[in-house]
């Protein structure tokens, strides 16, 4: 396994932009300063640099009046007239050599036909943003019992050399069985098979999940703010 170095992790400081200009360029909508995912895929917007003087005008032009965007991994000063709609504190975790990945025989791959069940599972468990076509971002997998989807996880952002594990959710009746850990290890196995390394994000307040991911072999890389902003 390759060691994580400052040079190789620098893309993680702006993962949405580095995904939208890299592995997810085929999904990107926008111009040289700002890009976004299709509205039914992801709410995240990628910004080349918040220091660009025209960046807020470019956001307004791309999204339109009244639209909301999610700003991550940055804390820019919001211009007058723009409304901050929510704010949260998160953490970014990256794999270490302690992460012992493995494929899971019970895991099934999920796709378009499974989207309604995936959306329902996310709605019940609230692991983070998941939209009708989020599954196109990467490989999504789940575990079924008696035909019912009871747990899932998948791949979201793809900055160069890395793949984010996201949408880790387990129904309440099936928790404390290690299903989430099994799914994370399966997703991470396939990420490493492609030559990438795994990263994750979690709400800073979700100390239980963070501790579980650290136990699996992830480590804290940085704290990061997440902010919702409405275009005037």
């Amino acid at each position: 396994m390759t060691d994580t170095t400052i040079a190789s992790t620098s893309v993680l400081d702006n993962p949405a932009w580095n995904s939208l200009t890299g592995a997810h360029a085929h999904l990107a909508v926008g111009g040289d300063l700002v890009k976004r995912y299709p509205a039914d895929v992801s709410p995240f917007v990628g910004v080349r640099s918040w220091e660009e003087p025209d960046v807020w005008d470019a956001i307004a032009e791309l999204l339109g009046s009244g639209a909301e965007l999610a700003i991550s991994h940055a804390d820019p000063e919001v211009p007058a007239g723009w409304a901050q709609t929510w704010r949260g504190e998160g953490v970014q975790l990256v794999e270490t050599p302690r992460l012992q990945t493995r494929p899971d025989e019970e895991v099934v791959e999920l796709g378009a036909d499974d989207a309604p069940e995936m959306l329902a599972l996310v709605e019940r468990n609230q692991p983070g943003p998941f939209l009708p076509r989020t599954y196109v971002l990467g490989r999504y997998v789940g575990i079924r019992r008696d035909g019912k989807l009871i747990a899932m996880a998948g791949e979201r952002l793809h900055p160069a050399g890395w793949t984010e594990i996201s949408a880790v959710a387990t129904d309440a009746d099936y928790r404390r069985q290690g299903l989430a850990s099994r799914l994370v290890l399966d997703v991470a196995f396939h990420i490493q098979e492609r030559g990438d390394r795994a990263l994750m994000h979690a709400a800073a307040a979700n100390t239980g999940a963070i501790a579980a991911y650290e136990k699996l072999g992830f480590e804290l890389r940085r704290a990061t703010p997440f902010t919702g902003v409405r275009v005037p």
Side-chain angles (χ1 to χ4, degrees):
M1 184 180 301
T2 304
D3 290 337
T4 56
T5 65
I6 293 175
S8 65
T9 59
S10 62
V11 294
L12 302 185
D13 289 333
N14 195 356
W17 176 261
N18 288 313
S19 296
L20 285 162
T21 56
H24 287 159
H26 63 289
L27 295 169
V29 180
D32 293 337
L33 292 181
V34 181
K35 298 181 187 294
R36 65 170 174 84
Y37 288 95
D40 60 351
V41 173
S42 174
F44 288 107
V45 172
V47 172
R48 187 173 72 188
S49 171
W50 290 102
E51 302 303 317
E52 296 283 351
D54 298 328
V55 68
W56 293 100
D57 289 340
I59 291 172
E61 182 178 354
L62 177 62
L63 300 184
S65 178
E68 290 198 26
L69 70 147
I71 299 173
S72 65
H73 302 81
D75 197 14
E77 183 177 352
V78 178
W82 294 63
Q84 180 176 301
T85 55
W86 55 268
R87 181 179 174 87
E89 299 298 326
V91 296
Q92 184 183 80
L93 303 112
V94 295
E95 69 168 55
T96 73
R98 294 188 297 107
L99 183 65
Q100 300 298 305
T101 66
R102 57 180 179 271
D104 194 296
E105 293 184 356
E106 193 178 5
V107 160
V108 295
E109 295 199 8
L110 304 173
D113 292 343
D114 306 290
E117 282 186 281
M118 297 166 77
L119 288 164
L121 182 59
V122 167
E123 178 64 27
R124 294 193 299 272
N125 294 277
Q126 298 296 316
F130 192 90
L131 300 172
R133 287 204 309 130
T134 296
Y135 63 85
V136 304
L137 294 177
R139 178 177 176 267
Y140 279 83
V141 296
I143 293 176
R144 293 184 178 277
R145 297 279 170 83
D146 299 321
K148 177 186 176 183
L149 183 66
I150 61 164
M152 63 177 277
E155 301 172 355
R156 189 168 62 180
L157 298 179
H158 287 255
W162 296 84
T163 302
E164 179 194 18
I165 301 175
S166 184
V168 182
T170 304
D171 257 349
D173 292 342
Y174 297 90
R175 292 174 187 163
R176 303 187 187 282
Q177 298 180 22
L179 300 182
S181 294
R182 287 169 53 190
L183 286 165
V184 168
L185 293 176
D186 178 273
V187 175
F189 174 84
H190 289 275
I191 289 171
Q192 292 182 352
E193 284 287 288
R194 296 198 308 267
D196 276 4
R197 283 162 284 176
L199 75 142
M200 304 188 75
H201 291 95
N206 195 354
T207 55
I210 294 169
Y213 298 146
E214 289 177 331
K215 185 176 180 180
L216 286 178
F218 288 86
E219 67 179 7
L220 176 67
R221 177 176 179 265
R222 60 168 290 186
T224 178
F226 292 85
T227 309
V229 177
R230 182 181 297 116
V231 182

